[in-house]
Amino acid sequence: MQSDAPKAAAPRGSLLTDPKARAWTFQILSILVVVGVGWYLFHNTQQNLANRGITSGFAFLDNSAGFGILQSLIDYTERDSYGRVFVIGLLNTLLVSVLGIFFATVLGFLLGVARLSPNWLINKLATVYIEIFRNIPPLLQIFFWYFAVLRAMPSPRQSYSFGEAVFVNIRGVYLPAPEAAGGLVPFLISLVIVIAAWIGLARWSRRRQEDTGQRFPVLWVSLALLVIVPGMAAMLFGKPFHWSFPELTGFNFVGGWAVIPELVAITFALSIYTAAFIAENVRSGILAVSHGQTEAARSLGLRSGLILRLVVIPQAMRVIIPPLTSQYLNLVKNSSLAAAIGYPDLVSLFAGTVLNQTGQAIETIAITMSVYLAISLSISMLMNWYNKRIALVER
């Protein structure tokens, strides 16, 4: 039997018993505590710096540095500011990171595939490499390449020569350097056209293969275009480059590119060290692909190379990318070890020399930490974007 009497409204509880109000209260209190602690630390630091007569702020970036730098990718003189020193240190750090990531990736993928090779000798050589280099600290490997290998090279007059174009001695590696000539702009335009044609050709070939099942030799056609089109541009508009070869003059080489031994040592050490970890990531990614996929591809008549390139690697990349991102981040952070051998990276120049000259430790360290954080976050965002792009999409 149902009652026609109106239902009485449920009694409303207090704010302390309301879960929503309690959650808002705790969040507001947490924000107030964080802001209060931050303000206390900032105010206390400012007060202590003022009491000790230490200047704070970023005005020091406009002051003249007054010291030389061993390697700079942009023009620099001792009269330039600390701000320009920061830019040079940042560029040198990015240079080491990019070179290290490139060489470590190539070497790591080759080693990862070699680790699964049915050839006994190749398999064991890859295993020995991985077990040796991943178990030695990166700083010791940097010292090994710098002090035991590169510092043992001969003087410039007794340099190792490779075709009278490349010279290696205790002061570094000297390479031929291209110098811009009159045909440079048409040459670059022809390269852009070839790259655009390559991308368009690859997309057309993919659609054609999906529709007809027939493959088009995109790689060989693109390589032919890469040789023919820029070659014709050079014939019509003149040479794009003149080559400057290093030449021994007095006690050192003049001309060409000079790669300092510190850069060679840090690039070798970080590439070899990180490649050992990437190889294991590649191996685990390949093993994660179902054996049935390989058998199905083999039953279609595909060769081993095509099976690896078209079937195994694309699926293994979904497993390889997340740990590969961590290895890239480790390599960038390990590049700060370059300061141990005097390579002019961001830590050595800005958090080292500039800090010692200005005494503004908080500003220089904060800027340096922020730069490494920004680089790492950028790499993470890029790799996460790529990982999401190749991930399986459920329909």
Side-chain angles (χ1 to χ4, degrees):
M1 181 176 179
Q2 293 182 348
S3 172
D4 295 335
K7 294 182 179 178
R12 190 171 183 176
S14 66
L15 290 177
L16 292 177
T17 57
D18 186 354
K20 187 178 292 184
R22 205 167 52 231
W24 274 103
T25 304
F26 286 139
Q27 291 181 61
I28 293 172
L29 286 176
S30 300
I31 293 173
L32 290 176
V33 169
V34 171
V35 172
V37 171
W39 170 252
Y40 170 76
L41 292 175
F42 176 77
H43 179 71
N44 192 43
T45 304
Q46 291 288 329
Q47 198 169 21
N48 288 335
L49 289 174
N51 292 338
R52 297 185 181 185
I54 300 175
T55 307
S56 61
F58 297 95
F60 73 95
L61 292 173
D62 295 327
N63 297 340
S64 176
F67 60 87
I69 298 177
L70 188 60
Q71 171 188 289
S72 62
L73 298 179
I74 58 176
D75 293 336
Y76 172 80
T77 64
E78 296 181 0
R79 296 187 300 275
D80 286 324
S81 64
Y82 289 126
R84 196 168 184 83
V85 173
F86 164 76
V87 175
I88 292 172
L90 174 60
L91 291 176
N92 286 343
T93 295
L94 291 176
L95 176 64
V96 169
S97 301
V98 171
L99 290 176
I101 286 174
F102 174 76
F103 289 118
T105 303
V106 173
L107 186 58
F109 268 78
L110 292 176
L111 286 167
V113 174
R115 186 86 164 74
L116 297 172
S117 172
N119 185 301
W120 183 87
L121 180 60
I122 294 177
N123 185 305
K124 294 306 174 187
L125 285 176
T127 303
V128 169
Y129 173 96
I130 292 169
E131 294 302 329
I132 288 177
F133 287 106
R134 75 173 177 177
N135 290 310
I136 298 176
L139 184 59
L140 289 180
Q141 295 194 39
I142 294 171
F143 285 162
F144 168 77
W145 286 107
Y146 184 66
F147 292 110
V149 177
L150 297 175
R151 300 303 295 176
M153 289 288 169
S155 64
R157 289 185 181 277
Q158 286 79 39
S159 299
Y160 295 121
S161 173
F162 300 92
E164 296 297 325
V166 178
F167 300 90
V168 180
N169 57 53
I170 195 171
R171 295 182 180 176
V173 181
Y174 295 85
L175 306 167
E179 294 181 348
L184 178 62
V185 174
F187 181 79
L188 293 178
I189 293 174
S190 67
L191 279 182
V192 172
I193 293 173
V194 169
I195 292 172
W198 193 329
I199 295 173
L201 203 59
R203 291 182 176 178
W204 172 79
S205 172
R206 191 181 304 115
R207 286 197 300 269
R208 179 174 181 265
Q209 186 174 2
E210 291 174 355
D211 294 338
T212 65
Q214 296 179 348
R215 299 184 61 214
F216 185 80
V218 178
L219 178 63
W220 296 112
V221 173
S222 302
L223 289 176
L225 289 175
L226 190 62
V227 173
I228 294 172
V229 177
M232 291 180 63
M235 291 175 62
L236 292 174
F237 300 100
K239 292 181 180 179
F241 303 107
H242 293 301
W243 289 96
S244 168
F245 289 89
E247 185 178 352
L248 183 62
T249 304
F251 296 101
N252 204 356
F253 283 87
V254 177
W257 273 336
V259 183
I260 59 176
E262 290 81 5
L263 176 60
V264 177
I266 187 70
T267 303
F268 269 30
L270 292 184
S271 301
I272 290 171
Y273 176 74
T274 309
F277 293 91
I278 292 178
E280 286 299 272
N281 296 336
V282 172
R283 184 179 70 90
S284 62
I286 292 175
L287 290 177
V289 178
S290 169
H291 190 62
Q293 298 281 330
T294 308
E295 294 295 330
R298 190 170 289 123
S299 66
L300 293 174
L302 293 179
R303 297 190 301 273
S304 299
L306 287 177
I307 293 174
L308 185 67
R309 185 162 62 87
L310 299 178
V311 177
V312 177
I313 292 297
Q315 298 184 73
M317 289 300 288
R318 301 187 183 106
V319 180
I320 294 171
I321 291 299
L324 186 65
T325 304
S326 299
Q327 297 307 324
Y328 287 170
L329 297 179
N330 287 336
L331 190 146
V332 172
K333 289 179 284 188
N334 286 336
S335 70
S336 61
L337 296 174
I341 56 173
Y343 177 72
D345 72 330
L346 190 62
V347 173
S348 175
L349 284 180
F350 199 67
T353 308
V354 173
L355 189 154
N356 289 330
Q357 287 194 355
T358 62
Q360 297 194 238
I362 297 176
E363 291 83 356
T364 53
I365 296 299
I367 292 174
T368 307
M369 291 171 66
S370 301
V371 167
Y372 276 96
L373 180 63
I375 295 173
S376 298
L377 290 178
S378 301
I379 293 174
S380 295
M381 289 175 60
L382 182 64
M383 296 298 288
N384 288 336
W385 169 80
Y386 180 68
N387 189 37
K388 188 176 180 181
R389 193 167 180 269
I390 65 173
L392 287 176
V393 179
E394 296 184 359
R395 299 177 180 175

